[in-house]
Structures are given as C-alpha cells and as structure tokens.
Amino acid sequence: MKIKDIRALASVQGPARSTAERLSRKCYSVEDMRKLAAKRLPKSIFEYIEGGGEDEVSLRRNRSSFDDWSFLPKWGSVDNLDLRTTILGGPSAMPVTLSPTGGTRLFHPEGESAVARAALAAGIPYGLAHLSTTTMEAVSAAAPGLRRWFNLEPTSDKGLLQAVLDRVSKAGYEALLVNVDCRAIGHRERDYRNGFTAPPSIKPKTVVEGMLHPAWALGFLANDAIAFPNLDAQIPDGPLASSPDMWRTLLAGSYEPTDWDDIRDLRERWNGPIVLKGVVNVNDAALAASMGIDALQVSNHGGRQLDHMAAPLDVLPEIVAKTAGRMEIIVDGGIRRGSDVVKALALGADACSIGRPYLYGLAAAGQAGVEHVLKMFTAEMTRTMMLLGVSTIEELRAEGRDLIRHRNEAFVRNQPTRIPEAPLALQK
C-alpha cells in the first residue's frame, strides 16, 4: 500500500468541541460510562450506586438473567424501524423510563434537574424519587414539557398523604410510582464499610477520597446541602439544609405498617395512573390488577433490598400471563443494553426502566452524560431490532416469544426424525 493510500484511509480527529462529542469518542457502552463514573466519584459514593443487599446474589442475578436468553432472528424486510410506543396512555420515544433514585445530587451538583432535562431531550418519562434532593417544583421548572412521575411510599397518615398528593398534582406530575418493597432498608454492607451510615461516619479515608476527587468535592461543598425536600407537603423556603434525621431517612429508613387497604385508599384519592413498584409475586400482581392499578414495575429494587429476591426477568413471563393484559408491565433491574430491553419486551413487558445506567452518565458528565447513555440505548435497540427482523415495538411484542429462547429450552422441541441409512449396495 502506498503512502497516499494510507493518507486516504486515515482520519485525523481534532480536539472534541463538546462534552457530548468527547463521550461519543470514548464511551461505547454503559460499562464504559460506569468506569468513567468510578474515576469521577469518591469510592464511598460510587459504591453507594453499585452496592446491593447482603451477599449481592440478587444484584448479580439481575444481570445474569438476561444472559440466559438468546435471540432467534427471522429473515425478511425491516421497513421504517420505529421505537416509539405508548406508556401509561402517553407517548414515549422508546420503551424506556428513568427510575426514581434517591440522593441524586450526591453524584452531580445538578442532580435531578440534569436528569429531567436529559429525559425531556430523549422524549421519555422520568420518575422523581420521594428521597430526591431537588424540590419537585424545581424539577418541573427545569423540564416543563417532560412527562413526570412521582415516587412515594404508602402511608397510614391520610392527612399527610392528601397534602403530598395535592402538592404533586399542582407541580404537574401525571403518575405515581408507589414502592411496595421497602418495609425495611436492605443490609448494604458496602455502605457500612465505607462509613455510609446514618448519620455518615467521616473517616480519614473519606477525607482522602474527597481530596483525590477535587471536582466532585468542589461541587458538593459549593451547592445546597443534601436534603430531601419532597417528603411532606411544605415547599422549602430558602436553601436546603441537612440533618442527621434526613440521613437516617435515606440510609436507615423507618417502617410504617401499611397494607392493601392503603393501596385501595390511594387509588381512590389519585385520579391519574398508579404504578406499583417492587412487585415480583404473581399473586400480588393479580391482586393489584383486580383493584384497578394501572401498571406494575416488576423490580427487586436493583438488588438493594431483600437478597435472594427473584430477578424481575425470571418472573416476568408468569406475571404477564397472570395479569393477562389488564395492566401495563414495566421491568427494571440489570438492564445495561438496548438488547436487554428487546428481550424484556419479547417476553411480554410494555417497557423497561433504568436507574444505575443513567446515574453513571450523570456522575461522569452531568446532563450530557445521561443524554449519551440514552442515545446508546436508542442505537442499541435500533440495531438489535434490525438484526432480529422486527420493525416496531408492536411487532416485537406480538411475535417476541418466537424470537427468543431460554438456555434450558430445547432448540428442537421434538426429537428429529431419524434418517434411515442407505442400502449397503448404494454405500461407497
């Protein structure tokens, strides 16, 4: 090959002109974003994102459950490939939502507002956590056109509940995400080892970690304290302030006995859609459908609560069969690729929800990082559907079970017919 041929093939890139361009050149997967987030955050903060309950069996199974399913592509034309779908009666650019995550400004100073703007740019819904660190009103102002959902815990204090619901409605949130998997906080041993307790334990290594991550430390110290301003009906007046009780709420939790009667009461009080988040029991799914709940988020809280709790993908087919189209099914836990979303939809889910992937993006590069993660999901879903041979989300859900196979299923369901041997006179 001649020098001129090499020059023709070579492409010399100039310096990246934006954060988005820089990310597009170096981060090709959620795992790449995870590694970048690990560099940007102190270890204790990063492991708060990463960690699960006890031995982290559920955490690992969430991921490995997707590896148990293989694609069976069909041949044919794929025309006008389209990821658009409907979730809870409204449009979404793809069958993905952003799950509520607590303490989000721990990972980037712009926190929930940056996530909301990225979700708006991507055209998908965002669930704001009740343990969010930005007021629900500020998130609404940051992304006024966004489909916003609000996450809360069931409560027996009906006066407080109604006041919070009134505030949520006034702030423009269209749906409720109701946790039913948080009667206690999971035993997250990584957090204890890192001093991430209630209140936090400041150890020498904590100070050293902060010094080794000056950009994070500056952002943490220069902005409002980490607080949880959406737990009650009052809109905070002035800068947010932290307290030991707030950290206990995040890291230790508190149990208030509630049951299905409280879910029925909530259904009567709220006119919009309700999603029960944290259901893996098929009997609970059927009961929720019978009382008019609009959707389930099949979830084990990212493996952070009860260890050895079933992985959502493992119970998804049974829940889909039991609810029989009476409610929408959203799946979260272990989703790291657009191909994971395609697998879940092929098994009957209406949509998937992600948490850790967008937090990696936020920690790595703020709003631009979240946007990059969502662009990767869009590209991966598009590529997977093209290679699988489906054009739309409707087609994927209708034909999905013929396009995917579990590792324990026989690839040939019946024993193949044995071809008789040729007569001896014809053998050579």
Side-chain angles (χ1 to χ4, degrees):
M1 182 176 287
K2 298 179 180 179
I3 296 297
K4 66 176 183 178
D5 296 323
I6 296 176
R7 287 176 177 172
L9 292 174
S11 175
V12 179
Q13 291 183 324
R17 292 169 292 180
S18 66
T19 301
E21 186 176 353
R22 176 174 56 82
L23 291 173
S24 69
R25 293 183 183 182
K26 64 186 299 185
C27 293
Y28 304 102
S29 66
V30 168
E31 177 60 18
D32 287 343
M33 295 299 287
R34 189 190 77 86
K35 292 176 180 177
L36 187 55
K39 294 178 181 178
R40 297 291 173 83
L41 295 176
K43 179 185 176 184
S44 59
I45 303 298
F46 179 71
E47 291 209 331
Y48 178 69
I49 299 177
E50 288 285 274
E54 296 184 354
D55 296 315
E56 300 186 345
V57 174
S58 289
L59 178 67
R60 292 190 296 274
R61 180 57 191 162
N62 282 358
R63 179 60 236 149
S64 66
S65 62
F66 285 93
D67 296 334
D68 286 342
W69 292 91
S70 300
F71 290 121
L72 302 174
K74 64 176 184 176
W75 179 243
S77 176
V78 177
D79 301 315
N80 302 316
L81 199 151
D82 190 355
L83 300 184
R84 289 177 297 176
T85 189
T86 298
I87 307 173
L88 294 185
S92 184
M94 60 177 165
V96 173
T97 74
L98 301 188
S99 274
T101 57
T104 306
R105 281 198 298 112
L106 281 169
F107 318 123
H108 189 277
E110 295 184 6
E112 293 86 357
S113 295
V115 176
R117 290 191 294 267
L120 177 61
I124 62 174
Y126 170 42
L128 182 69
H130 68 299
L131 289 176
S132 49
T133 52
T134 306
T135 67
M136 64 180 79
E137 293 80 10
V139 172
S140 296
L146 173 67
R147 294 187 63 197
R148 300 182 297 279
W149 303 351
F150 187 75
N151 164 239
L152 51 73
E153 304 274 355
T155 178
S156 58
D157 186 338
K158 303 310 177 188
L160 174 61
L161 173 62
Q162 188 59 56
V164 170
L165 292 179
D166 290 344
R167 181 183 172 191
V168 170
S169 180
K170 185 177 180 180
Y173 289 74
E174 65 178 58
L176 298 179
L177 284 159
V178 184
N179 287 346
V180 291
D181 58 358
C182 291
R183 281 174 289 212
I185 297 297
H187 191 70
R188 302 168 191 169
E189 295 170 13
R190 292 202 208 193
D191 291 347
Y192 305 147
R193 296 187 187 103
N194 289 322
F196 217 79
T197 55
S201 174
I202 305 299
K203 300 180 178 181
K205 70 173 185 178
T206 308
V207 177
V208 172
E209 287 175 5
M211 294 173 62
L212 293 175
H213 298 83
W216 174 88
L218 181 61
F220 182 77
L221 295 174
N223 289 275
D224 282 0
I226 299 298
F228 312 109
N230 296 315
L231 293 175
D232 54 40
Q234 301 301 317
I235 302 174
D237 183 16
L240 299 181
S242 188
S243 71
D245 287 343
M246 288 184 174
W247 284 99
R248 290 188 187 95
T249 300
L250 176 65
L251 300 173
S254 60
Y255 174 54
E256 179 184 357
T258 53
D259 57 24
W260 285 104
D261 287 337
D262 296 291
I263 301 299
R264 290 188 184 92
D265 177 78
L266 182 61
R267 175 69 286 175
E268 293 175 359
R269 292 174 182 273
W270 181 257
N271 292 326
I274 295 178
V275 183
L276 289 194
K277 180 179 179 293
V279 175
V280 296
N281 187 304
V282 66
N283 295 321
D284 281 356
L287 185 55
S290 71
M291 64 176 60
I293 298 301
D294 301 276
L296 298 179
Q297 188 152 320
V298 183
S299 169
N300 61 18
H301 215 90
R304 293 168 67 80
Q305 289 293 92
L306 176 64
D307 201 17
H308 297 273
M309 188 172 172
L313 201 71
D314 287 338
V315 299
L316 174 61
E318 188 178 4
I319 287 178
V320 169
K322 190 74 171 182
T323 54
R326 290 177 291 168
M327 60 200 319
E328 294 184 30
I329 306 297
I330 303 169
V331 175
D332 79 46
I335 296 164
R336 298 293 182 271
R337 292 273 188 185
S339 57
D340 298 332
V341 178
V342 172
K343 288 179 180 181
L345 268 63
L347 290 174
D350 293 281
C352 291
S353 195
I354 58 172
R356 287 185 178 94
Y358 82 74
L359 290 182
Y360 298 147
L362 180 68
Q367 178 181 339
V370 181
E371 289 181 355
H372 185 68
V373 167
L374 296 177
K375 288 176 182 176
M376 288 193 293
F377 269 91
T378 299
E380 289 170 355
M381 283 195 66
T382 300
R383 181 169 56 250
T384 301
M385 288 174 58
M386 173 67 74
L387 292 171
L388 194 57
V390 293
S391 301
T392 65
I393 299 303
E394 291 78 10
E395 182 183 359
L396 171 61
R397 296 191 71 249
E399 302 183 15
R401 200 56 187 88
D402 293 328
L403 302 173
I404 194 170
R405 186 68 56 81
H406 193 273
R407 62 185 297 187
N408 291 334
E409 295 178 6
F411 274 79
V412 180
R413 295 179 182 274
N414 301 311
Q415 290 293 326
T417 302
R418 186 171 181 273
I419 300 174
E421 295 181 1
L424 291 175
L426 299 179
Q427 292 181 359
K428 296 182 179 179

